[in-house]
Amino acid sequence: MTATPPTSTAVPVAGFVDGGDRAVDAVTVRISLRIIERFSEGLYSSPNKTFEELVSNSYDAGAERVWVYLSSDLAAPTATIVVVDDGESMDLAGLRDLWQIGESTKRDTEPIRGRLPIGKFGIGKLATYVLARELTYVVHRGDEYLAMTMDYERVQGSMSQPADLTLSVASLTRDEAQETLTRALPDSARDPQVLKQLFANGGTAHWTAAILTRLRPTAQNIQRGRLRWVLSTALPLNPTFALTMDDKPVVPSKASGKVQWQFRIGESESELPNQPGESTSLTIDGKKVPAWRLPLAGVVYGSAQLFEQPLQRGKSEDWGRSHGFFVRVRQRLINFDDPEFDVGPELRHGTLTRFHMEIDADDLDHLIASPRESLQESPELADLKKYMLAVFNRARVVSSDADDKDHIPLLNKQGRIANPPPALTQAPFRRMLRRATSGEVPVREVLGLQDAELDDAETLLDEGEDLISSVLVEPVGDDDRLVIYDPQRKAAILNQSHPFISNYIDMKGVGEPLRLLGLTELLTEAYMLDEDIPAEVVRRVMSRRDAFLRALVQRFPRSALVVAKHLRDAADKEKELEDAVADALELLGFTVRRVSGSGDTDGVALVGLGNRGAGATETYALTYDAKSSGARAAHAIAGDTDGAGTPIKKAPRISAGTARTSVLRVHREKAQERHGLAVAPQYTLLVAPGFQGDGIDDSLVKDVCRNDAITPITIEDLARLIELFPLRRVSPLTLRELFSESRTPEESRAFVDAVEAADAATLPPVKEIIELLVRHSERKMPTTIESLAGSLFEAHGERLDLGEDQWTAMVRGLAALAPRTIFHDGRIIALNASPEALLRELYETLGEYPPGLAEKFLASMPRPPESGGTA
């Protein structure tokens, strides 16, 4: 070591350190008051959090034991706080690295004892600023004993400009180091165990002591009981990491969790059928310990527990795992980060996360592979694994038996399932609910619990009540989850507003399956969490499933409002817009052939209207093309704002060059031959978010559309037409005027405006149609539009003497308003659900229309009964 004389500005080693006046080197620290305050008072304002940081530093150093000591009177001028660990410690280079503020080499070096480091930024030591004005490190590694002090009150310079501070480093002898630590320990340490561990019988090969002096008011207000509890929650249930506070063990909080089953090696083997071996005992530290002699692996001892709650949770996971197998040979833990120890190919993780087994197998010492801490594959190791698997399988049986007893009462009482399997019990849900109430926010979010509901959930759990006694169907919100849990009512709430549920709930015979689907959804979430699948993964999986269910109901059946919304939503997505236009034309009564691939039209729409008596057919066909214009189109249609908060009023408008109407005309002229159509298309519909020159008489887009016989219509106007279709009895026959006459966006818009302004035609006789369909429901012959019209004319006379086109438009309009409850394939009409369900769906859909547009329709209908129900 090269000695560097301390300068006059150097911070000397604290006075209680023997050899403090023999500085042998120095460490330069570049630091400012602002850095100290930001990284200490901001990040570590709590004294308890500071202790967590100190202990985590010990963990990163590979410590197996940590000792914490506090003076009995923390307000006394000589009060101290001391944290000592038996980790790898530091030499002079390590002390220099220690004070590289904002940098840390922990993650650039090989993990100590297989532990992944917690610290990232090298700022943990600044946490001590919260507690003390002075911090001294005494370290031992190799043959060296070094000491160094940071005096925070010596940090000079401005609040923001860093200044250099020199810290003297003293070299101590072994006796001086022991005397130094003895002086630093508080008066409350009568017979400090740390001195015996570090110095007796040859002592410990390496250790670090952090000594805090000249304590701040923050430290003086520390409550010992609270600090002990905080540290206990941060500790894993792991035999490689032990913490004492004032020489009293700090027991990991997980160890106090409720134990469902215990197994003692050498005493409990009667629970393992046909387990080879024999019971024996060992004397360890003067105590007789039961053990079991395996045929090949030799003598093993230890214990296993199955806890009611998962052990793999909370901040203690940062410091080491608490679950699984802990295999030691001569006090050396073999599997640091492998909870399964390759014991079996199919360990059930729902049990493994609640299972803790410590097993010592000292007779396998000859199998330890050097330098790695692992065991060589051998018959002896296979024998050990077979025994451990037998213990785990017994724990799994205990877990399954307990889960089976915690059945869901509503499934049994109502005779749905006589013996629900474990996946349909409350047990996994009960465990996850406990995790949610214990502060695990990701689990709470996956289960859809609100903060205000946690107290009710905790009460249910504490009283051991059934968690799910009913499944209710209630509106929650269109964008909300498929199912939520209400602990106050002990109910799973199926979201009636969810598109998938609202689409099918009123159909005949599906109410009960949908309720059970919702219950299964809730239990599946809990089961995945219980099986140790990360909450974020569960959230992604269930979100993908939810998106899939929502996408399914966009396809069939769909109301006019859903199709219109699909059009608007697809404004910025080319392929989706093509599909949305095809959906719109199908809803209006056309038979649509979707065309894929470039160099052709997007699709062809045909309607067979037949001969109308004058020798000429009204059947016609058209081609259609959709032009998307990017994300701005969707924002404009939705009424969004730009980055500056300004409304996006206009969607991007396609130009004549983008429209390529001459190409569209060629596609139309070749469509009959290309696609084998019976009728040659006469028209072309062009749909886009907007058109350049819309509102300008001499625009080029208008000229090319007139020249090539193209009907341009904006997405918004087509969506409006779809919404009006059920209310204004729009049909392919009435739409022919749009396709044959409209050659500008304004003319298409005027057509839609005229449809909206027209007085509603004869309103559908909803009551009469329902009564007739119910009366005909048992007939072998299906009810066609013709038979429906004839029957209603016979019953009600001239009031319902309408033409075929009017009846077709009327029935098609009803099906577009209530697609879930009315079956209509273009010819046959029938009910999919009860009359009450049909009325509810009609009211639900019409209620979403703008005020005034559907008033007459609503006024002509009977009122539906109230809906709801339980499982």
Side-chain angles (χ1 to χ4, degrees):
M1 181 182 297
T2 303
T4 302
T7 65
S8 58
T9 59
V11 178
V13 182
F16 58 79
V17 177
D18 277 340
D21 58 347
R22 301 199 313 273
V24 295
D25 215 307
V27 170
T28 300
V29 181
R30 189 166 180 78
I31 196 170
S32 71
L33 291 174
R34 183 179 297 274
I35 291 176
I36 292 177
E37 291 183 348
R38 178 166 296 177
F39 287 118
S40 59
E41 291 180 333
L43 295 177
Y44 306 110
S45 56
S46 163
N48 297 328
K49 182 65 178 176
T50 302
F51 270 95
E52 279 189 39
E53 186 64 34
L54 290 172
V55 178
S56 71
N57 284 344
S58 299
Y59 174 86
D60 285 349
E64 291 187 346
R65 291 166 294 184
V66 181
W67 299 266
V68 175
Y69 295 94
L70 297 88
S71 290
S72 55
D73 182 5
L74 292 171
T78 59
T80 62
I81 295 174
V82 180
V83 178
V84 187
D85 69 67
D86 64 355
E88 290 297 312
S89 197
M90 296 169 281
D91 53 16
L92 182 59
L95 290 174
R96 289 193 177 117
D97 288 340
L98 174 71
W99 287 105
Q100 296 300 307
I101 308 301
E103 298 180 13
S104 175
T105 60
K106 290 179 181 179
R107 300 193 172 209
D108 300 327
T109 58
E110 190 71 20
I112 302 173
R113 297 184 186 276
R115 298 174 181 171
L116 295 177
I118 301 171
K120 296 180 183 179
F121 306 114
I123 60 176
K125 79 284 295 181
L126 295 185
T128 56
Y129 174 83
V130 174
L131 299 177
R133 297 175 177 86
E134 191 173 67
L135 167 65
T136 298
Y137 278 103
V138 181
V139 299
H140 167 49
R141 183 175 180 180
D143 297 328
E144 289 184 317
Y145 294 88
L146 303 175
M148 178 179 68
T149 297
M150 162 61 82
D151 186 343
Y152 288 117
E153 294 191 336
R154 284 199 170 204
V155 178
Q156 301 298 319
S158 68
M159 288 290 290
S160 58
Q161 293 300 319
D164 289 337
L165 189 66
T166 303
L167 310 183
S168 296
V169 179
S171 177
L172 310 177
T173 66
R174 183 180 187 278
D175 291 341
E176 287 172 340
Q178 182 175 356
E179 180 61 26
T180 293
L181 194 54
T182 302
R183 292 180 184 180
L185 288 170
D187 52 2
S188 58
R190 306 297 183 198
D191 184 22
Q193 296 297 310
V194 66
L195 296 178
K196 298 177 182 178
Q197 293 289 339
L198 299 188
F199 297 102
N201 300 321
T204 303
H206 37 70
W207 51 265
T208 301
I211 305 165
L212 285 68
T213 50
R214 292 160 53 202
L215 303 182
R216 297 181 186 274
T218 309
Q220 297 170 15
N221 294 326
I222 288 176
Q223 297 177 354
R224 278 177 165 74
R226 175 70 178 174
L227 176 59
R228 181 177 289 275
W229 178 83
V230 168
L231 292 176
S232 74
T233 63
L235 285 178
L237 188 59
N238 191 309
T240 65
F241 196 57
L243 174 68
T244 63
M245 180 175 158
D246 294 331
D247 285 332
K248 295 180 180 178
V250 177
V251 180
S253 61
K254 291 176 180 178
S256 61
K258 191 171 182 180
V259 176
Q260 194 172 39
W261 172 80
Q262 294 190 79
F263 184 94
R264 186 76 181 272
I265 296 176
E267 294 181 350
S268 306
E269 276 72 17
S270 60
E271 297 184 42
L272 309 179
N274 304 317
Q275 174 59 47
E278 60 181 0
S279 63
T280 183
S281 64
L282 297 171
T283 301
I284 301 174
D285 295 332
K287 296 181 180 179
K288 190 175 182 179
V289 175
W292 186 260
R293 187 182 302 278
L294 292 169
L296 300 177
V299 176
V300 295
Y301 60 96
S303 62
Q305 298 86 33
L306 179 68
F307 291 82
E308 286 196 349
Q309 291 299 314
L311 296 168
Q312 190 173 7
R313 66 187 196 278
K315 55 189 175 183
S316 65
E317 287 303 305
D318 292 337
W319 289 3
R321 63 183 175 90
S322 299
H323 72 293
F325 298 99
F326 295 86
V327 184
R328 290 180 297 208
V329 176
R330 301 290 176 93
Q331 298 302 307
R332 181 190 302 181
L333 184 66
I334 299 302
N335 58 327
F336 284 102
D337 53 4
D338 178 14
E340 300 181 30
F341 196 58
D342 194 27
V343 163
E346 296 181 358
L347 295 181
R348 181 177 164 189
H349 283 265
T351 303
L352 186 66
T353 58
R354 297 183 288 124
F355 178 79
H356 178 99
M357 183 178 191
E358 296 182 25
I359 181 168
D360 287 76
D362 295 344
D363 288 350
L364 299 186
D365 185 52
H366 64 287
L367 293 176
I368 291 182
S370 181
R372 296 182 59 196
E373 293 182 322
S374 60
L375 291 173
Q376 298 173 3
E377 291 297 330
S378 62
E380 294 96 322
L381 180 58
D383 190 33
L384 176 66
K385 290 180 179 180
K386 185 177 180 181
Y387 174 78
M388 293 162 61
L389 180 60
V391 176
F392 177 80
N393 282 337
R394 178 57 190 159
R396 182 163 57 179
V397 170
V398 171
S399 175
S400 296
D401 289 347
D403 284 1
D404 287 346
K405 294 175 183 177
D406 194 8
H407 55 74
I408 301 175
L410 70 94
L411 292 176
N412 284 62
K413 291 178 182 177
Q414 299 182 17
R416 292 186 175 95
I417 301 177
N419 291 301
L424 287 180
T425 73
Q426 297 179 100
F429 185 63
R430 192 182 297 278
R431 289 190 285 271
M432 295 310 102
L433 203 59
R434 178 65 74 184
R435 287 176 60 179
T437 60
S438 298
E440 290 193 55
V441 175
V443 174
R444 188 205 73 199
E445 291 176 346
V446 168
L447 296 180
L449 279 173
Q450 303 300 315
D451 288 340
E453 298 173 319
L454 294 179
D455 287 344
D456 290 329
E458 192 163 15
T459 299
L460 275 181
L461 292 167
D462 290 343
E463 294 177 356
E465 293 191 30
D466 289 324
L467 300 180
I468 304 172
S469 59
S470 62
V471 181
L472 308 177
V473 182
E474 297 177 356
V476 179
D478 292 353
D479 297 326
D480 286 300
R481 298 159 48 90
L482 184 78
V483 62
I484 63 173
Y485 177 65
D486 184 345
Q488 189 174 47
R489 291 185 286 174
K490 298 195 293 185
I493 310 297
L494 191 64
N495 181 9
Q496 191 173 7
S497 305
H498 189 286
F500 186 82
I501 302 303
S502 65
N503 200 66
Y504 295 110
I505 190 66
D506 287 323
M507 291 186 177
K508 291 179 180 177
V510 302
E512 178 77 353
L514 284 179
R515 289 178 175 88
L516 293 179
L517 171 67
L519 179 60
T520 303
E521 184 98 349
L522 190 65
L523 296 178
T524 299
E525 290 175 335
Y527 183 77
M528 286 195 291
L529 290 169
D530 196 42
E531 284 295 303
D532 197 28
I533 298 175
E536 180 55 36
V537 175
V538 176
R539 186 185 296 110
R540 289 204 309 269
V541 169
M542 301 310 288
S543 295
R544 179 66 63 88
R545 169 183 163 86
D546 187 79
F548 181 62
L549 292 176
R550 291 173 184 272
L552 283 177
V553 298
Q554 284 188 349
R555 300 303 311 159
F556 178 83
R558 295 151 298 153
S559 70
L561 292 179
V562 170
V563 173
K565 183 177 185 300
H566 189 199
L567 272 169
R568 294 184 174 102
D569 290 345
D572 61 335
K573 305 175 185 70
E574 182 178 356
K575 291 300 181 183
E576 288 191 24
L577 183 58
E578 292 175 13
D579 282 340
V581 172
D583 293 344
L585 291 170
E586 284 179 342
L587 189 73
L588 291 170
F590 293 88
T591 299
V592 176
R593 180 179 298 182
R594 302 167 198 245
V595 178
S596 59
S598 58
D600 204 345
T601 183
D602 287 343
V604 180
L606 173 72
V607 61
L609 299 177
N611 192 316
R612 298 285 159 147
T617 179
E618 294 290 342
T619 295
Y620 68 92
L622 63 107
T623 57
Y624 65 86
D625 226 86
K627 301 290 185 183
S628 172
S629 296
R632 189 175 175 86
H635 292 313
I637 291 174
D640 294 343
T641 59
D642 60 19
T646 304
I648 300 175
K649 295 181 179 179
K650 294 183 179 180
R653 302 182 173 200
I654 67 170
S655 64
T658 303
R660 300 174 67 204
T661 58
S662 61
V663 175
L664 300 184
R665 183 185 66 189
V666 171
H667 290 166
R668 180 180 68 229
E669 292 170 350
K670 293 184 177 181
Q672 184 176 22
E673 181 182 351
R674 281 180 175 176
H675 304 293
L677 304 177
V679 178
Q682 297 171 258
Y683 317 114
T684 295
L685 181 67
L686 175 60
V687 184
F691 299 88
Q692 281 187 3
D694 190 354
I696 301 174
D697 290 339
D698 58 350
S699 74
L700 183 58
V701 168
K702 293 181 180 179
D703 291 340
V704 296
C705 285
R706 286 193 181 98
N707 183 68
D708 296 315
I710 306 295
T711 300
I713 189 169
T714 66
I715 290 173
E716 177 59 26
D717 287 332
L718 181 57
R720 288 173 55 217
L721 183 62
I722 294 300
E723 291 171 339
L724 291 166
F725 149 68
L727 306 180
R728 296 295 186 263
R729 211 169 297 164
V730 176
S731 70
L733 188 62
T734 59
L735 287 172
R736 191 162 193 166
E737 178 185 344
L738 169 68
F739 303 132
S740 62
E741 303 294 336
S742 298
R743 293 292 176 263
T744 69
E746 298 97 317
E747 290 172 354
S748 298
R749 187 172 305 117
F751 178 89
V752 179
D753 289 343
V755 171
E756 181 174 353
D759 190 27
T762 304
L763 296 169
V766 176
K767 180 181 178 182
E768 290 85 352
I769 290 175
I770 291 176
E771 290 174 348
L772 184 67
L773 291 177
V774 170
R775 197 162 59 245
H776 289 184
S777 62
E778 299 302 323
R779 291 173 54 176
K780 293 182 179 180
M781 287 292 293
T783 301
T784 62
I785 292 179
E786 293 85 351
S787 63
L788 175 74
S791 298
L792 290 177
F793 174 73
E794 290 179 6
H796 301 281
E798 293 184 2
R799 181 171 71 87
L800 296 181
D801 186 11
L802 307 174
E804 181 182 353
D805 290 338
Q806 290 179 299
W807 273 112
T808 300
M810 184 185 295
V811 170
R812 189 175 292 278
L814 276 176
L817 291 173
R820 301 191 304 268
T821 50
I822 289 183
F823 171 80
H824 174 57
D825 65 355
R827 189 177 73 90
I828 296 171
I829 179 172
L831 290 180
N832 276 335
S834 67
E836 294 78 15
L838 170 59
L839 290 174
R840 279 198 296 270
E841 186 177 10
L842 286 171
Y843 265 83
E844 176 186 315
T845 304
L846 292 169
E848 296 181 30
Y849 275 89
L853 200 58
E855 282 183 356
K856 289 186 178 180
F857 204 124
L858 283 168
S860 70
M861 288 173 36
R863 291 201 62 82
E866 295 297 324
S867 63
T870 64

